[in-house]
Each structure stands twice: as C-alpha cells, then as structure tokens.
Amino acid sequence: MKIRVKILSGGVKEQELEVLADSTYEELLESLHINPEIVIVFRGGAPVPLDEKLTAEDIEILRVVTGGNR
C-alpha cells in the first residue's frame, strides 16, 4: 500500500512510501527512524493512536516541542 507522508519538523519534508497493509503508525515511525515520543501523527487533521493500523490516507507527522519556565 502506498501512503503520502508529510513531516513537519523545522521544515517540511514530503515523501511517498510503500508500506505493508497491516502496519501500524508506530511501525511507520520506526521505519523512518522517528522517536514516537516526540511527534503526533495526524490523519485528516485529527490525531491517530500509534497502535492503529495504517490506512491509504495522507498523514502528517508533527514534531512536538516542549519547554520549561524561565
């Protein structure tokens, strides 16, 4: 199955990937060498659980930046 991925992390990187039909979003992140603890995955503008199976819809991966009080 082919999916289009947009990675938003200090810029925008788009790519089309071939993935197994029963892969999860977490497995996709692993294949892209992205730590799942520092991103949120969106499908159709809504966040998706990482253990959910991939669909053929376009997804966006947004890096989450946190900071503390000064």
Side-chain angles (χ1 to χ4, degrees):
M1 167 174 68
K2 284 190 178 187
I3 61 167
R4 184 178 309 234
V5 178
K6 183 186 290 186
I7 302 170
L8 308 160
S9 175
V12 177
K13 179 180 177 184
E14 291 188 52
Q15 54 188 320
E16 195 166 296
L17 302 171
E18 186 72 34
V19 296
L20 297 174
D22 64 344
S23 296
T24 64
Y25 289 95
E26 188 169 25
E27 291 167 335
L28 171 67
L29 293 175
E30 184 177 303
S31 72
L32 294 170
H33 306 287
I34 297 175
N35 181 346
E37 294 181 10
I38 62 168
V39 297
I40 300 175
V41 179
F42 292 90
R43 180 184 64 220
V48 292
L50 296 181
D51 61 350
E52 193 171 298
K53 300 288 184 193
L54 288 166
T55 65
E57 296 177 64
D58 294 354
I59 65 167
E60 293 182 340
I61 300 171
L62 176 64
R63 183 170 181 211
V64 178
V65 178
T66 61
N69 294 331
R70 291 186 148 224

